[in-house]
Every structure is written in C-alpha cells, then in structure tokens.
C-alpha cells in the first residue's frame, strides 16, 4: 500500500537518518532542484531535502522535461556542501554525487524490492531496458562564493509510464515488482544509502569502480550524440572522473557529456 506523503510523514520517516538536516514537503512546486538551489544560495544547510508530490516544471539533463502524474513518484532533491579539499580527500566531481545517489537507489531496490537496477551512463536508472528514473546534478555557488551541489532524483514509483509519450521506453518500480511500492519506505532506504556513501566520499573513497561495474553501458556498442557530432564505438569503461571511454575507428574518445544510446543490432554505424 503506497499511502500519502505529507510534511509530518516525511519528517518522521527521515528523522534519524544521519546527514539529513532539514526536510521540506511540497504538494506541488515548479522543480525541487530549482527550489533547493534558491534555498542553498540563501544559506540552507547541507543535508536539506525537498520532496514534491508534483512538479510543474520538472527538469532532466540536456534541458529535457521530467514529467510524472501527481502523487505517483519520488521527486526530490538533496543539498551537499563540498568540504574543503585535502590531499587525501580531493574535491569530488559533480559526477561523483550522481554516482553515490544512483548506487543508493540501486541498493534500495535490491534490498527492499529484490529487483536489479541497472545504470546507464551518466545518470539513468534502468530496469529491464526501460528507464525507471534519472538524476540531475547541478553545481552552483552561494552568496559567499562557496560551492554547493544539488542532486535531484526522479523515480517512477506507482504509475505506468510504459504508454506515456516519452522518446524512450519507461517503467516504474510498481511495474517492476507487480504491486504498489510504499514511497516513504523506499525514500528512507535511498537516503540512508546516500548518507553512508557520502560519508565514504568525504573520507576520500571513490565510488567510481563500483559505479562502473553497475553501468549497463560498458562493453556495448554505443552512439554518442554531441553538439554537431555523432560518434559510434564500443564503451570501454570510465576513467577516474567517470568520463565514458569509447573506442572508435580513430582511437579512444573521452566523453564528459552528451547523449549515449546503445546501438541496435543492424543499425547504421
Ligand atoms: C534525467 O533523467 O535527465 C534526470 C531527471 C531528474 C528529475 C528529478 S525530479 C526531482 C528533481 N527536480 C527536477 O526538476 N529534476 C529532478
């Protein structure tokens, strides 16, 4: 049974999770990333989490929209304030925040629901070849010039997006397990995972090799769409920063941004 979410329910659910400092529930808002970026610029503490039951201007990577019916999904953003770098713990790259959050969703799905979630470089959460969710990581600076990172997570939970007019095949947790999923419990498991993995990241432990091992993209024939350029090749792996290494006819290309899709059998190279 899913159950409603509210400020009270969320506060209780996340009360004793380390790292979470403040929880804000919004029934409807533009985009939780946009709201949290504004609060962060005004000094909100690390560990602030904003969740909305509905977004009217939800955003994905590459200026795409993120659309989900009200009350069906997990749509939330979390604030990180990167510590001063030290020789043992250099500044994490924005992609490392994406990594820890995607691995936390993957862990939660395995632990609570017993389903495997694959990752598609750089930010997609996938089940059975269909997109289940995505992560939007944005870095900015506050009024004092201190950097902050907002990670927004959108997860289809209790609706069927398979017939939605997206330009990719989509699914949800409920579709994957065949019954409704309690959003509050799933959220808590994800946030616990983020807290644990962020503590490791702060201690200088890179998530990159674990993340690479979870990427369905590796070893596949891929097409990478870059501004004004399309490259095809084999995804070999990722480097220490998480950039995708693609072997093409001309050598190995390092991809830091762009749209990557698997090349279907027989597709033109
Ligand atoms: C993507 O797949 O490109 C990323 C999608 C991220 C969507 C989430 S929903 C919560 C947060 N608020 C937003 O506007 N976007 C992220």
């Amino acid at each position: 049974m899913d159950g409603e979410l509210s400020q009270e329910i969320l506060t209780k659910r996340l009360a004793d999770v380390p790292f979470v400092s403040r929880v804000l529930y919004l029934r409807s808002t533009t985009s939780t990333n946009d709201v949290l970026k504004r609060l962060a610029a005004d000094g909100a503490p690390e560990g602030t989490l904003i969740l909305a039951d509905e977004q009217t201007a939800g955003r994905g990577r590459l200026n795409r929209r993120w659309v989900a019916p009200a009350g069906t999904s997990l749509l939330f953003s979390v604030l990180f304030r990167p510590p001063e770098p030290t020789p043992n713990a250099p500044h994490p790259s924005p992609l490392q925040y994406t990594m820890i959050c995607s691995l936390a969703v993957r862990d939660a799905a395995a632990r609570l629901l017993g389903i495997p979630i694959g990752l598609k470089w750089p930010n997609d959460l996938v089940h059975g070849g269909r997109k289940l969710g995505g992560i939007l990581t944005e870095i900015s600076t506050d009024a004092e010039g201190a950097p902050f990172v907002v990670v927004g997570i959108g997860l289809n939970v209790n609706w069927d997006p398979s017939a939605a007019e997206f330009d990719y095949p989509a699914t949800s947790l409920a579709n994957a397990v065949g019954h409704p999923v309690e959003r509050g419990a799933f959220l808590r498991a994800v946030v616990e995972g983020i807290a644990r993995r962020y503590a490791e990241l702060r201690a200088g432990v890179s998530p990159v090799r674990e993340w690479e091992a979870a990427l369905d993209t590796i070893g596949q024939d891929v097409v990478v769409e870059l501004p004004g350029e399309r490259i095809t090749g084999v995804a070999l792996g990722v480097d220490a920063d998480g950039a995708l290494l693609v072997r093409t006819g001309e050598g190995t290309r390092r991809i830091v941004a762009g749209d990557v899709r698997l090349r279907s059998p027989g597709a033109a190279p």
Side-chain angles (χ1 to χ4, degrees), residues 30-34 55 57-62 64 66 74-77 123-124 131 133-136 151-155 168:
T30 50
S31 150
T32 55
N33 266 38
D34 291 347
Q55 293 184 128
R59 296 184 291 109
R61 267 178 83 240
L62 308 172
R64 295 185 178 130
W66 185 262
L74 282 170
L75 311 168
F76 66 102
S77 303
N123 72 320
D124 284 354
K131 183 159 169 168
I135 294 189
L136 178 64
V151 179
I153 302 179
L155 270 180
Y168 51 82

Side-chain angles (χ1 to χ4, degrees), residues 13 33 43 45 59-60 113 118 120 129 166 169 179 248 260:
R13 275 281 184 203
N33 266 38
R59 296 184 291 109
L113 306 175
K120 178 174 160 284
F166 297 150
H179 58 78
T248 71
V260 175

Side-chain angles (χ1 to χ4, degrees), residues 21-197:
S21 58
R22 200 180 275 180
V23 179
L24 182 60
Y25 166 82
L26 301 170
R27 198 192 57 73
S28 178
T29 191
T30 50
S31 150
T32 55
N33 266 38
D34 291 347
V35 176
L36 189 51
K37 277 160 70 179
R38 277 199 298 276
L39 294 183
D42 288 344
E46 172 161 88
T48 301
L49 181 148
I50 299 187
L51 179 142
D53 253 333
E54 178 184 40
Q55 293 184 128
T56 54
R59 296 184 291 109
R61 267 178 83 240
L62 308 172
N63 284 330
R64 295 185 178 130
R65 294 177 65 212
W66 185 262
V67 177
T72 63
S73 297
L74 282 170
L75 311 168
F76 66 102
S77 303
V78 181
L79 175 61
F80 300 89
R81 291 193 176 275
E84 285 297 315
T86 66
N88 287 340
H91 242 313
S93 69
L95 195 48
Q96 286 184 312
Y97 292 90
T98 305
M99 292 178 198
I100 62 168
C101 293
S102 1
L103 288 169
V105 174
R106 183 180 150 88
D107 292 344
R111 183 159 69 80
L112 289 193
L113 306 175
I115 55 166
I117 289 194
L119 308 179
K120 178 174 160 284
W121 190 93
N123 72 320
D124 284 354
L125 303 156
V126 177
H127 178 75
R130 292 175 167 268
K131 183 159 169 168
L132 182 76
I135 294 189
L136 178 64
T137 299
E138 299 183 291
I139 185 152
S140 192
T141 48
D142 66 15
E144 267 85 59
F148 64 81
V149 177
V150 167
V151 179
I153 302 179
L155 270 180
N156 297 322
V157 183
N158 291 320
W159 72 294
D160 181 3
S162 57
E165 288 188 6
F166 297 150
D167 54 9
Y168 51 82
T171 190
S172 65
L173 291 177
N175 273 8
V177 294
H179 58 78
V181 171
E182 201 199 327
R183 289 180 297 156
F186 197 80
L187 173 73
R188 183 185 163 95
V190 172
V191 179
E192 281 174 338
I194 293 173
R196 181 175 64 74
R197 289 177 175 280

Side-chain angles (χ1 to χ4, degrees), residues 103 106 117-120 209-217:
L103 288 169
R106 183 180 150 88
I117 289 194
L119 308 179
K120 178 174 160 284
R209 293 302 153 214
E210 189 181 355
W211 183 68
E212 180 184 46
L215 284 172
D216 290 345
T217 320

